[in-house]
Every structure is written in C-alpha cells, then in structure tokens.
Amino acid sequence: QNVRWTDQGKGASNFSAFSASTGLAQFPAGAATTPKGKGSTSKMPILDAREMRQWIQNSTFTQVVGCPHGGPIAAVTLPLGPTAARFTSTEVRILSNAGQLLAKIPFPQRPNTPQSKGGSGDGNPSKAGAGTNAQTPTPKPTEESVPAQFTRGAADIFKIGFTERGILVVLMRDSLCFTYDIEGQSILPPFFLLDGTSGSATAEVMRADIYGQGVACLGSNKHVAICEFLHSKYDVAYLQGAHITAREIRRKSSSSGPEAAARASPTASWTVALVTPLTTALEWCSTRFTSFRTVAVLPRHCTSHGRPEVFLSTDDHSVIVVPVTSSMELVDVDCRHRMASPIVDMSFCPNGRFLACFTEASMLTVMSTTFETKVLDFDTSEGSSSPPLAMQWCGEDSVVLHWKNMGILMVGPYGDWLRFPYNNTSAVHLIPEMDACRVITDSTVELLQRVPPMTANLLRIGSIEGSALLLEASDAFTVGTVSDDVLLSDNPPKEEDISLCIEAATKEFDIATQKRLLRAASYGMQFLKQQQTGNSATAGLVMGGALNFEADEGGMGEQNNNGDGEAVLPSYTTRQFVDSARKLRILNALRNPQVGFILTVTQYDALTATGVLGRLISMQRPSLASRLAVYLKLPKAVQLYARASKAAAYVQKVHNLGTAEAQSDTITAEKAIAIIQNEDSPMDAGDDESSERKIVAKNKNNSSMFRGAYATVAMAATKAGRPGVANLLLLLESSVSDKVPALISNGSYVDAMAVATLARDGDYIFSTLMQVEKACLAAAGNASEITKAQSTFWQTVIAKLPPEAFHTLRRFYLANGGSSSGGEGGNNAVNLLLRAQRFTDAGATLAKRGMAEEDPREKHGVLQEASRVFGLGKETAFYKICTDEYVELLKDQEVIRTKYGATEVAPPSTSVTATLVSVLHYAATHVREQHRLLSDADKIAKKFRIPDRRLWHIKVKAFSESGQWSNLKILADSRTKSPIGYAPFARASIRGKQPASEILKYIERIAVAEERCDLLSEAGMWKRALEEAIRIRDLGRIHNVKANCNSPELQMQADQALAKLT
C-alpha cells in the first residue's frame, strides 16, 4: 500500500523555518543563504533547487523511525562532517504515514524558555489541537524547556526511536536521553544512561538499540546500560524487584504557575524510566581483554524470567547474554565455532524466537535465541562488502536488509531472496512491524509483507482449492453467467471455504479485492443456506453453516426468531463475516491519506480497539475516534473519553480562529457540552448570565453520567486561554478527582480547596495546598523575594482558604521538622501560627522544641523566643510567666552545677521540686558542703515562691530517701509547730526502719488520737495502739489491732475491751 504525502521541497508552509528540504530531509535555510549586500538584513539563496537537493543528500543524513503498529513516523536530519559547523540546529518532526505534520521538536532546545511553536504543548490527548473534521491538523507549540546543561544541538543526536507505548526516545552521543510523546510533549526530565550517578557522561555512545520497551546503549569505554519505560501503577512489583544498582527516573513536579496541571502529559503521569548499568558485562570484558561490537535486547515478554536480556557481540566472534535480573549473571553462548567473523549487527524476531546476525564478513546468519540451532547462512559479499544501513525483520519469517543506492534485499527462511531496487529514490528507511515491514522513501510509505497463505491459495492461477472455486463461482454469478452452478455442482462450498474467503479479505489492502472476497463469502453462505433447506438436522435455517448455540466473547450469541417463531442463533461463519466487515471498514478509514494510520488486521487485533482510539486522539483525530467508539459499541467510559477529546479539540479550534470569528464563552461552552452529551445542536444562547443558569439547570440531573469529561475539556479550555469556558464547564463536573486538578490548572485555588474540603479528601486538600505554594513561589523573581512569596502563601491559606487547609498545612509542617527539632518545617509551623495570630499554639510549639534541645545555649534561646511569642497575646500571660520561670530555673541549675563542680547536684530537669530533691540528695554524700547546699535549696525555694508546706514535704522526702535522719530531726524541731504536722515525719521514719524511740518522738507530737493510733499500728507497736484505741473507745481500731497482731495476750485484752464497750 503506497501513501504519498505533500512534496515538502516545493515550499510547504509547514516547514517555514527549514525551507531547504527534499523528501524527509531538511536543511536549515540560513545555512544555504548569504546576505544580499553589505549591511543588508535580507538574504539570497546560494544554490538553485537542483544543487540544493544534491547538497542536502551529500552533506546530511536523515534518521526515520516509526511507532509500532502503524503509528506515526519521526524524522530528523543530521549533519555529516564539515557541515556540522553550519548545521547547528535541526528539528525532530513527527508525521503521520500520509506526511501530515503532527509535532516538531527543535534542537537545540532553548534553555529555561519555552520551545518554539510547532511541537505539542499539551500532553493530554483530550486537548488535541485539531479540528473536528479530517483537515490537516495544526501542530501545537511545545512549552517544555530544559536546563542549560542539557541543551544539545543537531550534531549531538545519535539515534531516535519509538517504543511500543508511543514514547519517542532521542539519544545523544553522550548518552543523554530525551523522551517525548506522539504530540511532541516532554515526558521525563533528561537523564544519562551511562555514568548517570555523576550527573554527566564521560564516554560517547558507540551502539544503541531502541526496542519496544526501552533503550540499551554501549559506550566507547565498554560501559553498558539499559533503560526500561514502565508503568508507575501496574509495574510496581517489577520496580521493586529491580537490581540494586538500578535508578528510577520520574517526572519532576512543575512549579511554573497555575497551568502546571494542564501542561502535564498523560503519558508522563505513569511513565517511569528504570536505568540499570550492566556492571557484570564490563567486568567480563576487562578480564578477557576484549571489547563489544553491537548490542541488542530481547524483550521481557520473550524471556522465561520476565526481565529483558541484553545480547552483546564480542571481538572474538561470540555473544554474551546479560539478563537484567537481581543476580545479573552473565552467560557466554560460545558461538565462536559458528561465526567466522565478529557480529556487527543484530536484530530479534518480533516473537523473540530467532536472532538475525550480520557479521564482518558480510554473512547473514539467523540463529535461535538460545544459539542451539542455526537456521540460515546467507552470503551478501557479492553485492556489497560493507554492512547494511538497516537490517530489520519482515514479520517472523524473513529478514530485510538495505544498502545505500542498492535497494532492499529480502531473505526468506530457506535462503530464498528477493531484491527491490528502489532506483528512483535517494533514501530508503525500514520500520519493522509484527507481521510486515514499512518501507519509507522520500514520497511514499510502502508495506512489505509476505503474501498470506490463504490469499495465495485463492488467487493463484489454476488453483483448485474450494475457496478458489467459490471465488470464481461468485465472480461468474456477479457478471450474470450460468457457470457458477456448474463450478459448485461437483464441489459445493464448505464452511471452511467461506471462512478462508473472509480471512483473506481482512488481509487485503485493496478495497475492490476486499469487496470481491466478501462477496464470494456471502455467495457461499447463500448457497449453503439453500442446501440446508428441508434438512431436519438444520431446521433452524441459519445462514452460513451449522447451528452454534454457544455465545462467544463478542456477545453475538443472542437468540433470534425465524418466521415460524423458532429460536435460532447466528453461526460462527456469520459472526465472522459481520466482525470482519466491521473491522475492514475501520481499517479502510484509518488507511485514508487524511488520517495516515496504516494498520494490518493483525496489528489491529494486537493494539485493540481502545488502543486505536488512544492513538487517534494522540494523532489529533478525536472526531474520528469518537465515531469509531460509537460504531464499535465500546464501553461508555471509552466513548465519553473520545467525545471529551473531540470537545477539547473544538475549544482549541475556536481559540485558533482569532478575535474576528471568536465565539463568546457561553456559546463555546454550550457547543462543548453538546459534543460531550452527543447531542446534535446546543440550546439557544441568550445573555451570558441567563445562559449560565440554563446550562446548570439543564444538566444538573445527568452530570454524573459524564464524570470527568467536563474537567478534561475545561483543562483544554484553560490551555487555550479560555478560562471563562473552563469555569462554565466545571460547574457541571461532579467528580472530585477530576474537578480539583482542573480548577488548579485554571488558577481557581480557592474553589479547588472548597471542593476538596466538601469531599473530605485529605489528599486533594494537601495537593491543592502544594499547588498554591508553587504558584506563590513561582511569582518570586529572584531569591530575595522568596521570603515575601512564602508570606503571601501563608496569608492566602489563613485568609482565603477553609480552616481544614490551615490545619493540614500545620500538620504537614510539624511532621516535616516538627516541634521537636529546629528544622525548616518547625520554623514554618511557627511562622504560620504567628501569621494567624495563634500565639498560644506558636509559643507551645517553640517551648516543646526548646525542652527537647540538648544544647543548653540553644535551649535557652528557643525558650526565650517562646516567652517572647507568649508575650504577644493577652490571654497567654500565664504561659509567659511559666516559660520565664523555667528559663530562670535552668540558669540557677547551671550556677549550682558550676559552683559545686558536679552535674548530679542539679541535673537538667523540668521542675523546681526535682531540683530541690537533687540538691538535698547531694548534701547527704557531701557533708562538708551540707550547710551551703541546704542554704542554696532554701534560696531556690524562696526565689520561686515555694509554699512552706510543699517545701517541708520535699525536705522530709529527700532527707528520708537519702538517710539524713539528723537533718530530719532538726527540721522537725526548727519550729514550734510544723506546717505539715508530724505524721509525714513519723511515716518517713517508719519506712526508713528507724528505732521505735525515734518514731515515738514524732507520734507523740501528733495531736489527733485517731492519727496516733493508725501510725502506731503502722509501726507495729500493737500494745500502744491498743491502749490508744481503748482510750478513744474506737471499736473499729480495736478490731484492727486484734486482727493484725500476733500476740494472744493482746488479743485477749482486745476481747475484754470490746466486751466492756459493747
């Protein structure tokens, strides 16, 4: 199938910046011009058109790659030798198979500034910038910029290629890797494959292989690395099982203002690059004093362990295999006896079973992946002694090779070969597919494919196959001859013949041949139906073969009724015919040059209908995607996504019309809503205010049916500079997970926070806070304005956002630096609380941090700051006094420790009581300093206004615990009347097991008889306790003495006393 595109060499407007072009090759226009005169700003061309074409062919080379499964192609023109000085810039152009420009990526990129228009500035497929018809789409600007250290020019590009997920990889000579989606939007930040830990590469890339799931490169210093592009959600277990040396590359969150969410590519939301250096390969190469020639990767779905394997050819005619597993155990396949010279190029079969190797001696060898079986040896030295420019597989059973000016050589499994000269084209590019090979020239795209067996049986001259006879009979019936009955009288059609015709039709590209084969299948089904008439075994009268009452996965097994009311089902052949006809309609629509999506039926089945829709949206064909979704009766969610993409494209198209034909926000929103809801026409528009009320009233009951669609279109409207349209659409959005990001992209942070708060979703509350902070910090022009921007953020949170936002931010700050450390989070928490005039919480946060500090000076400083904060509020006076007194206590403790030269005399503590106890305890072991210590304790108690009762209790406890009984006696005798009584003294003596005489001295001074009796019982003086109880005539205490004493005599006295008292 050949598809011609516009001749870009005749002044195509799509390439205004690169006017010198021929086919897919382009040359900077400025390099081929010279100023008209001295001081003149205008330029004139140096060469005419013919010379320009020849110059481009001789001084540049163009790399062309294609996205698998018939996807878009990418082309970049690079300089050769002396032209590198004049050829400093180039463009990676992404085109459809019909040559329509989808996006372009300039090199070198402008550092820290948006890239030039022409690439895709929006990675969301729902915001494609195409119209709703089949016109040529307008490329969108790429707004992504790169740091200055990652800026590279035309001569720095080494290789480009697509992965199966549509990721365009641009690999530089220093192993710097750029990634883009089909719309030209950057996916991941630039990263190095080799020497990535040092931040720059030290070796140039010698060979690279961009395969279906990533890229592997071989450096000039024998370093090897592989990068796999994975799904951050579905490949979590795979990421966790990566090698210990692997590193992940994820997209950094943008902080460039309210449009950050709208600019993010959907591919970037799930793409993770896993870069693994193959250290065992370097060690193997170093120990054997050899080097590598080329590299190829066997995808992980073709290996037994589920991880890719890197194949490296060596100088000694062998190949080593390095599995990208946790062990990374290297295997030498030892094929030296099978290879007469080193392998210079390798390519894997799509199913991973065979490996095509091209040796230095111009020998094509096909081996099994395990290197146990040699399938083919084919000598190409007669045609050329140099390696081919490209070696790719054509399906699974043939290898295609291309040499410059020699065309294409196709080698079959048994050494059979075909040569396609391509004499009238200067460049040929090969793109492998799972069942074919795309051949791209300057003006055409051809699909090279082995003729399917069923097609060969059908169309071979003189074929006597049943399907061929059926086709011939159908042709005869079509032209009105009677030979059709003669052809089928002896060989009636079978169900297998009909199926072969249907299957052959799906393999064809020519529409006339498709119709011819389907007509033959239909004729065969009619013929078979007539044979079934009257047969009791086939009384269901089902067209196309025997009855089949089992419903297949497609759900076409529903029962129908014939004319007699009998239940029947469509046969397998009937369902196959309907499915194939539907599939062919889709494939023919995709192959239209206006679309440029060349798919075979095998590729369509592998990509699935949903994948085709996603690819169409990325190619800026949302209208076609929407129609296909309805035609295929895909799930409602898929249809809604396609309609939302179509509505987003409509909004972008209206914006591109300019001010002269621009519509009002209300009319645009109504049309977008009509597209989302699949309505033919929107309602009549009145004034903006009434129309807004109509929009809400009309859709308030069914907004949940279109969850996410309104937000998707709103983000596209924000991207297109129509915030009014976005606000109207977001009024109808009912999905919190979609509405919050859309409001953030629109800059409506207060509304986004209100939605998140109403939904009680902490994740969205926090994410909205982070976006608000990024927007505030992005407004800061330099480092000196960062503090002001941070204050603006805090003031916004306090004054404009709900309380839930304030508390969430406070908890975040405390968790990241918290109250127990002086980190940035703790300082931010205090500043936030001060900004909100919550002096109690701010001071408490500082006080907790100060109490957790170990450095005395730091502790004093933090506590003094807490005291100052407490002094800012009227209701925090008590907290200020407490903090000040605690600071004074710390100072006194330091003075005492310095005075006595010991830490244990007054260890850092949190209370005056603990300090007094420590001083009194220290006095027990230092008798000489006892008087001074007791005096210092009295001074501390007096300074902090400790009440006498509390002080005496402290001293009694401290003296008894440290064994200072003499000081305890002195304390009891120091006053005529103890402020705490003498019971504490007695109990302290009892616990200290002092003599009875000492205990009695304190008990006798107690005025309350009941208390004296209890203390005597506690001291074990049962006789005195019994006498005291009898004296106060307390029956309960008498019973207590009787029950606890072990003296029979006392028990008898107690009985006698009880008898007298009762």
Side-chain angles (χ1 to χ4, degrees), residues 418-473:
L418 289 173
R419 182 174 176 269
F420 304 90
Y422 287 94
N423 296 324
N424 298 325
T425 182
S426 60
V428 177
H429 309 278
L430 304 179
I431 300 176
E433 296 287 358
M434 61 186 303
D435 62 339
C437 180
R438 272 188 284 173
V439 181
I440 300 179
T441 66
D442 291 338
S443 60
T444 62
V445 173
E446 298 181 0
L447 196 67
L448 184 60
Q449 186 182 32
R450 180 185 177 185
V451 178
M454 68 286 298
T455 304
N457 293 333
L458 272 169
L459 303 179
R460 186 174 62 245
I461 298 176
S463 175
I464 59 174
E465 297 289 336
S467 55
L469 296 177
L470 176 61
L471 177 62
E472 186 177 355

Side-chain angles (χ1 to χ4, degrees), residues 741-757:
L743 288 170
I744 291 175
S745 68
N746 197 22
S748 303
Y749 300 114
V750 177
D751 294 338
M753 183 61 70
V755 173
T757 303

Side-chain angles (χ1 to χ4, degrees), residues 622-889:
S623 180
L624 178 59
S626 178
R627 294 197 300 270
L628 289 183
V630 176
Y631 178 71
L632 292 174
K633 298 180 181 180
L634 294 179
K636 297 295 183 182
V638 178
Q639 296 186 30
L640 179 61
Y641 176 72
R643 292 199 303 272
S645 302
K646 180 180 177 181
Y650 170 77
V651 174
Q652 181 67 41
K653 178 184 177 182
V654 171
H655 174 71
N656 293 336
L657 293 176
T659 56
E661 301 180 16
Q663 300 176 353
S664 66
D665 291 344
T666 303
I667 296 176
T668 305
E670 290 176 356
K671 179 61 178 177
I673 293 171
I675 295 174
I676 293 174
Q677 297 180 355
N678 202 21
E679 296 178 353
D680 293 334
S681 60
M683 59 185 180
D684 296 334
D687 60 280
D688 289 347
E689 184 177 357
S690 61
S691 297
E692 179 178 338
R693 290 195 298 267
K694 291 179 181 178
I695 290 175
V696 177
K698 179 181 179 183
N699 300 279
K700 65 180 180 180
N701 295 326
N702 61 352
S703 60
S704 60
M705 297 172 57
F706 310 102
R707 292 171 59 90
Y710 299 115
T712 301
V713 183
M715 294 179 72
T718 301
K719 174 71 177 152
R722 301 293 296 271
V725 176
N727 292 332
L728 290 173
L729 292 170
L730 289 175
L731 291 174
L732 307 178
E733 184 56 65
S734 59
S735 173
V736 177
S737 60
D738 296 299
K739 189 172 185 178
V740 171
L743 288 170
I744 291 175
S745 68
N746 197 22
S748 303
Y749 300 114
V750 177
D751 294 338
M753 183 61 70
V755 173
T757 303
L758 184 63
R760 296 293 188 268
D761 195 313
D763 293 336
Y764 282 112
I765 293 175
F766 178 74
S767 63
T768 305
L769 280 172
M770 295 299 100
Q771 291 296 335
V772 175
E773 184 178 22
K774 289 177 182 178
C776 294
L777 295 179
N782 48 53
S784 61
E785 298 179 0
I786 295 296
T787 304
K788 182 178 179 181
Q790 191 70 41
S791 300
T792 302
F793 166 61
W794 289 331
Q795 188 62 34
T796 302
V797 173
I798 296 168
K800 297 182 179 180
L801 301 185
E804 290 82 357
F806 174 83
H807 295 301
T808 300
L809 185 62
R810 176 190 175 189
R811 289 195 300 270
F812 169 71
Y813 283 154
L814 292 177
N816 293 271
S819 60
S820 61
S821 64
E824 183 180 357
N827 294 332
N828 288 338
V830 173
N831 293 333
L832 177 66
L833 292 169
L834 288 176
R835 181 75 62 173
Q837 297 186 356
R838 303 185 64 162
F839 303 116
T840 302
D841 295 333
T845 302
L846 286 171
K848 290 179 181 178
R849 185 197 305 172
M851 293 175 68
E853 286 287 348
E854 296 182 357
D855 186 9
R857 293 185 179 181
E858 190 70 23
K859 176 179 286 190
H860 291 169
V862 176
L863 289 174
Q864 287 176 355
E865 180 65 19
S867 175
R868 186 190 67 81
V869 172
F870 282 134
L872 298 176
K874 297 180 180 180
E875 72 283 357
T876 56
F878 173 73
Y879 304 109
K880 176 177 174 57
I881 294 173
C882 293
T883 306
D884 292 339
E885 289 185 350
Y886 183 64
V887 173
E888 290 297 324
L889 175 62

Side-chain angles (χ1 to χ4, degrees), residues 610-625:
T610 304
V612 170
L613 258 64
R615 190 71 65 82
L616 283 174
I617 292 172
S618 297
M619 293 172 59
Q620 306 171 17
R621 297 295 179 187
S623 180
L624 178 59

Side-chain angles (χ1 to χ4, degrees), residues 906-988:
S909 61
T910 58
S911 67
V912 179
T913 300
T915 303
L916 292 174
V917 170
S918 300
V919 172
L920 295 175
H921 282 179
Y922 189 77
T925 57
H926 297 75
V927 181
R928 292 185 179 182
E929 304 289 343
Q930 192 175 87
H931 179 71
R932 295 172 60 194
L933 289 167
L934 295 178
S935 176
D936 289 338
D938 291 337
K939 291 179 181 179
I940 293 175
K942 182 178 180 181
K943 180 178 181 179
F944 292 99
R945 299 181 298 277
I946 302 298
D948 287 346
R949 290 176 58 82
R950 181 181 174 187
L951 179 60
W952 277 57
H953 277 293
I954 293 172
K955 288 184 176 182
V956 169
K957 179 181 179 182
F959 288 154
S960 62
E961 290 176 348
S962 59
Q964 301 181 58
W965 303 110
S966 58
N967 288 333
L968 183 65
K969 183 178 180 182
I970 293 173
L971 178 63
D973 297 338
S974 62
R975 293 188 185 183
T976 305
K977 184 178 180 181
S978 170
I980 61 173
Y982 295 96
F985 292 87
R987 289 192 178 91

Side-chain angles (χ1 to χ4, degrees), residues 470-484:
L470 176 61
L471 177 62
E472 186 177 355
S474 174
D475 292 340
F477 178 78
T478 303
V479 298
T481 64
V482 296
S483 59
D484 57 331

